[in-house]
Amino acid sequence: MSKMRTALAGALLAVCGPALAGTVTVITSFPKDLTQAYKSAFEKANPGITLEILNKNTVSGIAFVKETPEGQRPEVFWASAPDAFEVLGRDKLLASAADVANPEVPDKIGSYPINAPGGMYLGQALAGYGIMYNTRYIKAHKLPPPAEWKNLLAPEWFGHVGMTSPSRSGTMHLTVETILQGEGWDEGWRTLIRMSGNASQMTERSFGVPDGVNNGQFGAGPVIDFFGLSSKYSKFPVEFVYPTETAIVPANIALIAGAKNTEEGKKFIAFTLSKRGQELLLEPKISRLPVLPYKDLGDKIPDGYPDPTVLAERSKVHFDAELSQKRYYVVQTLFDQTITFRLKELQAATKAIYDAEQKLGDKAQSGKAAELLDQARKLAWSPLIDAKAVNDPEFLAIFLRDKKDASASQQISQLEGEWSGKARANYEEAVKLAREAAAL
């Protein structure tokens, strides 16, 4: 009887095994229009394999992979931010997928490698970062169409910008890093703080910015290109522009180390890189830039569609993913403590400065009022830590330590409290100084 039970158990295992193996789980930050198209096409091409989509923002996705035991992890990580893959690679959470890389994909876009060394992650699409704006909104509010980041810093844009935080969105993190690397740490932060001062809110997810621009809640906002392009080609009243300070980098796909179903996970990666998988990127609701050369996709490319090779040639930013990875958590923490959690105070300081400038007119250019206004601008719009501090390996190491380490957690909490308190005090003092200037 025991032999019969053993044989029966083995037979059941043999039957159930393939069914369990037939599920590929993908962690991604991409919207449903994209993931559903790939799920349908992949399952049709691979009968017996089910694609399970686990939608998380990039930061949450990284945390999920880190916290899931080996042997139980999802198979695929799929997101836009190359620095996020650097973080996973540093923590040895990725496995090579070099054997399923498409040899027709070029080595580089501009000077940037499309695939990571050893195939630890592969470029699946190309992405640029820019400004999406609602054409009806800006006409109604008599706002000029923005073309560069600096355009969104003008006083007339106060209250008309939608933004999110890099801690809530991998694509926003890339936008922030693009600006920091294009303008330098100090000037880049001034741009980010001033743009945020003009924001009406910080949305909970990256989707919130394009959704808000689509429906006229915001006039404009920084987004990854496919948000703007997919809305435009889906006939929303919007436009998308690439500033000269943009980065054209791969949106990546990778095999997670310690996954349950590695071989079938590779099949999905291979599918996304195939000609059929690349053609899906060109559907109006998706509107992403393929990694396959346009000559290989023939008449599938829509008229007037952006050419990533041309964009890469004109871009002023040569994105450094390693630099971004090193200061990944510093940038997120600094942004949240000085902008996300202090948005009301930042908005108040920004408005007080604008009001004083408008009231004083030419008097804001010299004399005591000008001095007070200059002090207010420096307090409100300068970063709390300078480039020297963020390049200090000992300082960076604080944010790379295991958060479960009590001393590391305490040290970071102390810094967060200091930055938050300092930001609040600076904004309040800026309001005071701007009002003093206006009174003169």
Side-chain angles (χ1 to χ4, degrees), residues 130-207:
I131 302 167
M132 176 181 176
Y133 63 91
N134 186 302
T135 54
R136 293 176 186 167
Y137 184 107
I138 68 168
K139 185 178 180 181
H141 290 83
K142 298 180 180 178
L143 295 165
E148 301 287 348
W149 302 119
K150 297 292 185 187
N151 296 148
L152 297 182
L153 315 187
E156 59 262 35
W157 275 95
F158 181 78
H160 298 300
V161 179
M163 292 182 67
T164 192
S165 163
S167 67
R168 299 171 181 173
S169 162
T171 57
M172 184 59 188
H173 192 109
L174 262 290
T175 305
V176 167
E177 269 292 347
T178 295
I179 293 171
L180 292 177
Q181 293 189 24
E183 299 185 6
W185 179 266
D186 293 336
E187 187 59 31
W189 271 108
R190 278 189 280 272
T191 294
L192 290 165
I193 295 168
R194 290 181 63 186
M195 193 188 303
S196 302
N198 278 350
S200 62
Q201 73 174 82
M202 290 284 155
T203 66
E204 289 298 320
R205 288 288 302 271
S206 56
F207 304 160

Side-chain angles (χ1 to χ4, degrees), residues 20-285:
L20 292 171
T23 299
V24 172
T25 302
V26 178
I27 290 189
T28 182
S29 59
F30 295 148
K32 189 174 181 179
D33 284 337
L34 184 151
T35 57
Q36 186 58 47
Y38 274 89
K39 175 178 168 64
S40 298
F42 176 72
E43 289 179 350
K44 183 177 179 180
N46 295 271
I49 304 179
T50 299
L51 198 68
E52 179 185 55
I53 303 296
L54 198 57
N55 190 272
K56 293 181 176 291
N57 71 42
T58 306
V59 180
S60 299
I62 291 172
F64 184 88
V65 174
K66 285 184 175 183
E67 292 163 6
T68 305
E70 186 173 357
Q72 298 299 314
R73 294 172 189 148
E75 283 70 36
V76 176
F77 197 89
W78 195 19
S80 293
D83 48 5
F85 290 82
E86 288 287 315
V87 170
L88 289 169
R90 180 196 68 207
D91 293 341
K92 296 181 170 39
L93 291 167
L94 299 180
S96 175
D99 55 332
V100 295
N102 187 338
E104 299 302 318
V105 173
D107 292 335
K108 293 182 177 181
I109 176 67
S111 60
Y112 197 97
I114 290 182
N115 296 331
M120 295 306 287
Y121 53 90
L122 306 175
Q124 190 270 326
L126 297 171
Y129 301 84
I131 302 167
M132 176 181 176
Y133 63 91
N134 186 302
T135 54
R136 293 176 186 167
Y137 184 107
I138 68 168
K139 185 178 180 181
H141 290 83
K142 298 180 180 178
L143 295 165
E148 301 287 348
W149 302 119
K150 297 292 185 187
N151 296 148
L152 297 182
L153 315 187
E156 59 262 35
W157 275 95
F158 181 78
H160 298 300
V161 179
M163 292 182 67
T164 192
S165 163
S167 67
R168 299 171 181 173
S169 162
T171 57
M172 184 59 188
H173 192 109
L174 262 290
T175 305
V176 167
E177 269 292 347
T178 295
I179 293 171
L180 292 177
Q181 293 189 24
E183 299 185 6
W185 179 266
D186 293 336
E187 187 59 31
W189 271 108
R190 278 189 280 272
T191 294
L192 290 165
I193 295 168
R194 290 181 63 186
M195 193 188 303
S196 302
N198 278 350
S200 62
Q201 73 174 82
M202 290 284 155
T203 66
E204 289 298 320
R205 288 288 302 271
S206 56
F207 304 160
V209 176
D211 286 351
V213 175
N214 281 338
N215 64 32
Q217 181 184 359
F218 311 128
V223 300
I224 190 171
D225 54 7
F226 75 85
F227 280 141
L229 295 173
S230 61
S231 292
K232 177 181 177 178
Y233 286 105
S234 297
K235 308 302 183 185
F236 282 92
V238 302
E239 287 290 341
F240 175 84
V241 292
Y242 294 93
T244 49
E245 281 178 355
T246 190
I248 304 299
V249 295
N252 299 295
I253 192 163
L255 190 68
I256 297 171
K260 294 175 285 186
N261 193 2
T262 296
E263 290 307 312
E264 290 183 346
K266 285 184 179 181
K267 288 181 182 179
F268 177 67
I269 293 174
F271 175 80
T272 70
L273 298 170
S274 69
K275 185 177 180 182
R276 175 61 184 138
Q278 291 290 289
E279 287 173 350
L280 285 174
L281 295 171
L282 301 170
E283 292 189 0
K285 287 185 177 181

